[in-house]
Amino acid sequence: MGLAPVVEFGAAVTAEACQLTPDEAERLLEELAEANLVEELGADRYRFHDLVRLHAAQRAAAEETTTARADTVRRVVEWYLATATAAKSLLSPTHRVLRRDYVVSTPPYARTFDDTTVALAWLDTERLHLMTAVGTAVEHGWDGLAWQLVDSLQPFFLRLRPYDLWIEAHEAGLAAARRAGHPEGVSRMLTTGGSGLYNAGRYDEAVDWFTQALEGARRDADRRAEAHALHGLGQSHRLAGRLETAAGLFTEALTLREEIGYTRGAALSRLCLGDVALASGRPRDALALFTRARADLLAVPDPYDAARALAFLGHAHAADGIRDFDTADRHLRQALREFAATGSVHWGARVQEMLGLSALGRGERQTARDWYEQSLAAYTPVSPADTRRLHERLRNLDTG
């Protein structure tokens, strides 16, 4: 059947590989399952038994031409690209979709989505197959498909934070975009990959990637890409604790984004300037920046980043110099609901941590413990650095 890139598959992948309609593919899989040639794993999920898979690969090598096998594999890889791109379009509608190098338009049986929870769950469930598809594209020299697949996974990386996969995918995607000679792909891989690096705590590497992106944007006179690279550099320095450097870069990015009329980008730069102001002990300055960012992001609309702005607003209200804990809790609980709707595990955990800090500011130690424990449980599978910090917060409660 030529399903080399995947171990598990459903009717849609089978349809692409075998050039059948989805109904024909479903009937074929049911017949194979009845004959014990495939194992049924659940709703529309099948897997060849090991010996059958080996035999099928041997027969394909013996009976099909190299070109025919490659065409089958490419159809499957393109199906994954088209379906992941559909998921990304729903989950990140403000993120500009770049070129897609399908051989013949969009694969006919690619899945579409009308529910963000379902789209994110699909990306999560298929994560290993999608990474296998990236590797398969690289092996066959389909470099355009390789970086485009990585690009399609952006909302999965951003919301679920599998840092090892995030960085591994972008290293492969960046090399592929360079081999393909696609400058827009190189820029996208450097910036979304740089975000993975700084979120993983690899700040100096992130600075290097964003610096390369900045140099490329200025060479190509791409002001939007230039602002994006400046913003990424700012966030790399912010997370490394270099607040003054970060503030200068965010301000430069904000100025450029306002000049080109990029409202969402300007709102994100204000959000980060507010974060720097809060970290610098200026919570009232931060409140003004967060409030403007929240309004602009709701207007775009960008519900994920608007929820981030609301979380920061809540955190600022609990800060020394304001200490309006009722308003802080109200904003933070609303942000928690909004992140639950977007499927963002990491930011949900961060808001729970902020709620713990607010409770501690009130002197409610047991409530703080409850929030910290919820945050720790959510952080543990996705972020070792955040997990360590929550353990430290809990230890401080025990000894304080």
Side-chain angles (χ1 to χ4, degrees), residues 220-287:
D220 298 335
D222 186 337
R223 300 180 77 205
R224 185 184 179 106
E226 179 182 357
H228 196 50
L230 287 166
H231 183 95
L233 276 170
Q235 189 67 342
S236 302
H237 286 289
R238 159 66 185 101
L239 292 174
R242 299 185 280 266
L243 298 182
E244 186 175 350
T245 300
L249 289 161
F250 287 137
T251 299
E252 194 174 352
L254 174 60
T255 300
L256 187 50
R257 284 169 162 176
E258 288 184 320
E259 287 175 357
I260 63 176
Y262 182 22
T263 300
R264 174 178 175 269
L268 293 176
S269 293
R270 284 193 181 88
L271 184 61
C272 290
L273 280 167
D275 179 37
V276 171
L278 190 58
S280 302
R282 296 182 285 110
R284 296 198 180 276
D285 291 343
L287 280 179

Side-chain angles (χ1 to χ4, degrees), residues 5 10 58 66 70 75 101 128 142 190-191 200 229 245 282 291 309 326 363 374 385:
Q58 291 172 339
T66 300
R75 284 197 301 273
D101 292 334
L128 295 182
W142 304 326
L190 285 169
T191 52
T245 300
R282 296 182 285 110
T291 300
D326 289 340
Q374 291 181 59

Side-chain angles (χ1 to χ4, degrees), residues 120 124 127 155-167 195-201 304 343-353 373-391:
L120 186 61
D124 189 15
R127 64 168 70 187
F156 162 66
F157 294 136
L158 185 64
R159 300 192 189 193
L160 299 185
R161 307 293 177 114
Y163 294 127
D164 290 345
L165 288 183
W166 190 340
I167 294 167
S195 298
L197 287 166
Y198 68 55
N199 277 303
Y304 171 80
S344 176
V345 174
H346 182 271
W347 263 96
R350 188 165 178 184
V351 173
Q352 288 168 332
E353 182 180 1
E373 288 177 347
Q374 291 181 59
S375 178
L376 175 61
Y379 273 140
T380 297
V382 297
S383 178
D386 291 315
T387 298
R388 289 191 294 271
R389 186 179 65 256
L390 265 294
H391 277 301

Side-chain angles (χ1 to χ4, degrees), residues 1 10 54 69 74 134 165 169 175 220 231 258 274 277 358 378:
M1 291 178 64
L54 176 61
R69 292 198 301 276
R74 178 154 185 142
V134 172
L165 288 183
D220 298 335
H231 183 95
E258 288 184 320
S358 179

